[in-house]
Amino acid sequence: QLDILKEFILQLQKNLPLSGEIHISLLDKQTGKMTTGSYKENKKLIKVLYKGRMLADVLRTLSHEWSHCYDHQKKHIKDRNPIGGASEDFANEKSGEETKRYIKSNPRLKSKIFKPV
């Protein structure tokens, strides 16, 4: 499944290119105030909860947090309300789009994507 994650990250970098180094941590339990993921701009860190979740959900969370990073670097959306608002709307839209694009482009991986990690 790491190969799928790596391939998905390449797609994200192509479609929502980030500058500089970004660290991605896959966690087996929540830390701090995160739900299923978080992005810390000052640490250049994306955290994603993976244990017990379908890989498709992990990909969506990863792309959601990646979209927040892209927003911070390129779009600079002012409305940063953590529930709703323009920044969350953007991350929700892009994460759904990128996850669906990857799944539809890789039908051979469906059995791996739609099962728990």
Side-chain angles (χ1 to χ4, degrees), residues 38-64:
S38 68
Y39 166 63
K40 300 293 181 201
E41 182 179 13
N42 59 339
K43 295 182 180 181
K44 308 234 184 287
L45 173 64
I46 292 173
K47 293 193 268 184
V48 177
L49 182 64
Y50 77 91
K51 190 172 183 177
R53 300 176 68 208
M54 267 195 317
L55 184 55
D57 295 331
V58 172
L59 297 178
R60 189 176 187 296
T61 299
L62 173 58
S63 57
H64 180 95

Side-chain angles (χ1 to χ4, degrees), residues 1-62:
Q1 292 169 333
L2 281 176
D3 289 342
I4 292 172
L5 282 168
K6 288 177 186 177
E7 191 176 71
F8 186 63
I9 289 168
L10 290 174
Q11 174 188 301
L12 290 174
Q13 183 62 18
K14 177 183 172 200
N15 296 329
L16 299 168
L18 300 180
S19 305
E21 196 171 284
I22 302 297
H23 301 278
I24 298 170
S25 291
L26 300 174
L27 307 174
D28 61 356
K29 63 182 179 182
Q30 292 171 308
T31 61
K33 295 180 181 181
M34 73 180 280
T35 52
T36 56
S38 68
Y39 166 63
K40 300 293 181 201
E41 182 179 13
N42 59 339
K43 295 182 180 181
K44 308 234 184 287
L45 173 64
I46 292 173
K47 293 193 268 184
V48 177
L49 182 64
Y50 77 91
K51 190 172 183 177
R53 300 176 68 208
M54 267 195 317
L55 184 55
D57 295 331
V58 172
L59 297 178
R60 189 176 187 296
T61 299
L62 173 58

Side-chain angles (χ1 to χ4, degrees), residues 59-87:
L59 297 178
R60 189 176 187 296
T61 299
L62 173 58
S63 57
H64 180 95
E65 301 307 333
W66 185 285
S67 297
H68 279 309
C69 184
Y70 180 83
D71 169 19
H72 283 111
Q73 288 186 4
K74 311 281 170 103
K75 292 190 63 70
H76 310 289
I77 296 173
K78 302 255 186 277
D79 179 0
R80 299 256 181 241
N81 188 343
I83 300 174
S87 180

Side-chain angles (χ1 to χ4, degrees), residues 8 56 59-60 63 94-103:
F8 186 63
L59 297 178
R60 189 176 187 296
S63 57
K94 288 301 177 186
S95 63
E97 184 180 304
E98 290 301 323
T99 303
K100 191 171 187 177
R101 176 180 289 122
Y102 184 78
I103 292 168

